[in-house]
Amino acid sequence: MLSTRIERLQSMLRTQSLDGFVATHPIDIFYLTGTMQSGFLVVPAAGEAVFYVRRSIARAKEESASVRIEPLGSLKTWRERAAANAPTLAGACTLAAAFDTLVVDGLERLRGALPEATWTNGAALIRTLRMVKDEAELSCIRRAAKLVDEALAEAVPKLVPGMREIELLAEIEYALRRRGHLGIMRVRAAGSEIVTGIAASGAAVAMPSAFDGPAGGEGLHPAFSKGAGWSRIEPGEPILLDIGCNADGYVIDQTRTAVLGELSADLAAAYEASETILRAIETRLKPGAICEELYELSLSLAAELGYAEHYMGYGADAVKFVGHGIGLEIDEWPVLARGFRTALEPGMVLAIEPKFTYPGRGVVGIENSYVVTADGFEKLTTSREGLWKLPG
């Protein structure tokens, strides 16, 4: 599987007349090698890929059999060693690296080590490569979905009126961690951080935040002002359970809406509208569907149903998408958004999340993760749908 990924990358390099790709981001390195040790992975357009490891070399050799492992050593001598393995690096060449995750200092060090090379942004290259998942990746995502379903079934019944949001999230995380959740949800966007997810309710969950999503949450402190906070969950409030899980590096993303007792009629109707939009997208979720058009469909339906003002956030804080790719990171390509004219292909995995935000009252909605198949889709999320009504 890993060698096939490298071969696909090399084919893309040749198509774009690039001499090689240098992976520096730990997630990209893991995707191509199976290990997340520190260093540079050099993938020439033709020939053998070599992972130059800073540390731990022993761990890298133990975890990866897909590429040759060599010590990185000093960058002053690395050029000669790299050129010996890939002669195209010896002189003038054009190399790609993912600038979206490479800090300026790192790029300058690479330029200093290979002064005759011309560097170009290869972020789109690696993100495009990672859009289509193989069976090994899908197996991990299916397992993550199973773990979330089991953890919610164990933890959510412990919810009682007056429980703090952070206490509910802690119960969910405890159930997830005991089942193998790695405890981290990775994001590619620079400066972004998220935890396992959101378990929050009422006015608190409708608070906007820097997080690029329709629900923010008050958080525990301005140092992490999103997600579950200290607020108490009370009967009649919509409870957003936007929970992920990381199994063997791969994440699932899903949302369910719950309530202690009964939800007000208008919020219950808004929740039903979210399922209506999701079902409509599902009817067109198949190879060849254009991402932008699926987003436009959701906008049209939200307006037709009378919920445009609250769709995917509120006011200036509304987000401009309804779905996103998931895999090793929570914010992968493709994205169901304007300007994303990508046609869906078998193996692409998407989290689709129509939601409605009501400032001062809460957020309602649903989110499932799907893999596109040859003739449609497979729903990866296994948790039951519908509004979850709990004793109030």
Side-chain angles (χ1 to χ4, degrees):
M1 289 289 188
L2 297 179
S3 60
T4 299
R5 296 174 192 175
I6 290 176
E7 290 168 2
R8 286 171 51 215
L9 175 58
Q10 290 178 315
S11 176
M12 295 170 72
L13 291 169
R14 293 191 292 270
T15 297
Q16 297 187 26
S17 300
L18 296 171
D19 296 304
F21 180 86
V22 180
T24 61
H25 187 45
I27 304 300
D28 296 337
I29 291 172
F30 177 78
Y31 175 76
L32 294 166
T33 69
T35 184
M36 205 177 285
Q37 300 306 302
S38 172
F40 300 145
L41 170 66
V42 178
V43 181
E48 185 181 28
V50 181
F51 183 22
Y52 297 93
V53 178
R54 181 178 292 109
R55 63 173 299 161
S56 158
I57 295 173
R59 188 75 179 261
K61 289 181 176 179
E62 176 184 339
E63 295 173 343
S64 176
S66 64
V67 296
R68 179 145 55 103
I69 306 292
E70 292 192 5
L72 176 61
S74 169
L75 282 181
K76 294 180 180 180
T77 62
W78 176 66
R79 177 188 179 188
E80 288 72 22
R81 289 179 284 118
N85 290 322
T88 55
L89 302 185
C93 58
T94 302
L95 300 175
F99 289 0
D100 62 333
T101 59
L102 182 58
V103 297
V104 173
D105 178 67
L107 179 58
E108 290 304 314
R109 293 175 66 206
L110 286 173
R111 284 174 171 160
L114 299 171
E116 296 180 57
T118 298
W119 291 89
T120 188
N121 188 0
L125 191 75
I126 191 67
R127 297 194 77 175
T128 299
L129 176 69
R130 286 174 46 190
M131 280 199 300
V132 175
K133 273 62 178 178
D134 56 40
E135 191 53 41
E137 295 177 284
L138 293 176
S139 177
C140 293
I141 299 173
R142 290 188 187 101
R143 178 169 175 263
K146 179 175 181 291
L147 299 188
V148 166
D149 186 37
E150 292 176 354
L152 290 177
E154 175 184 321
V156 172
K158 298 178 182 179
L159 175 60
V160 295
M163 178 182 280
R164 295 187 186 276
E165 294 174 344
I166 191 60
E167 293 172 334
L168 174 59
L169 182 60
E171 291 287 354
I172 295 170
E173 288 186 302
Y174 179 53
L176 279 169
R177 288 289 273 165
R178 292 197 340 267
R179 288 169 168 82
H181 169 44
L182 297 189
I184 184 171
M185 301 288 287
R186 294 189 169 101
V187 289
R188 194 172 190 90
S192 290
E193 298 174 314
I194 58 173
V195 290
T196 297
I198 299 173
S201 71
V205 73
M207 292 175 64
S209 76
F211 175 67
D212 191 20
E218 66 176 352
L220 297 175
H221 187 273
F224 192 80
S225 54
K226 51 194 167 187
W230 298 110
S231 292
R232 296 186 184 277
I233 300 171
E234 301 297 345
E237 296 180 337
I239 305 162
L240 200 71
L241 302 170
D242 188 346
I243 302 297
C245 175
N246 187 332
D248 303 328
Y250 285 83
V251 300
I252 191 73
D253 193 10
Q254 68 172 65
T255 300
R256 295 295 182 262
T257 300
V259 63
L260 290 166
E262 294 291 332
L263 197 60
S264 65
D266 62 332
L267 291 183
Y271 172 78
E272 292 300 325
S274 72
E275 286 206 5
T276 297
I277 293 172
L278 187 62
R279 297 287 90 86
I281 294 174
E282 285 179 348
T283 64
R284 296 173 59 177
L285 194 61
K286 56 188 175 182
I290 304 301
C291 291
E292 179 182 61
E293 294 175 3
L294 295 178
Y295 175 60
E296 295 287 359
L297 170 66
S298 79
L299 289 177
S300 297
L301 281 171
E304 180 183 321
L305 294 167
Y307 295 101
E309 184 180 13
H310 299 273
Y311 187 53
M312 298 304 290
Y314 188 83
D317 292 305
V319 297
K320 307 301 182 183
F321 66 89
V322 71
H324 54 90
I326 60 169
L328 288 167
E329 293 160 318
I330 204 76
D331 55 346
E332 296 195 359
W333 287 0
V335 183
L336 302 189
R338 283 180 176 147
F340 221 101
R341 296 292 302 170
T342 301
L344 297 183
E345 301 176 33
M348 289 182 176
V349 178
L350 289 156
I352 303 176
E353 52 175 321
K355 295 170 182 169
F356 298 100
T357 300
Y358 290 79
R361 299 185 66 196
V363 180
V364 296
I366 186 170
E367 179 180 22
N368 286 334
S369 293
Y370 305 85
V371 57
V372 179
T373 62
D375 57 358
F377 66 87
E378 173 194 344
K379 186 173 74 170
L380 300 171
T381 309
T382 59
S383 296
R384 64 180 175 88
E385 297 184 359
L387 183 62
W388 291 14
K389 295 184 179 181
L390 307 168

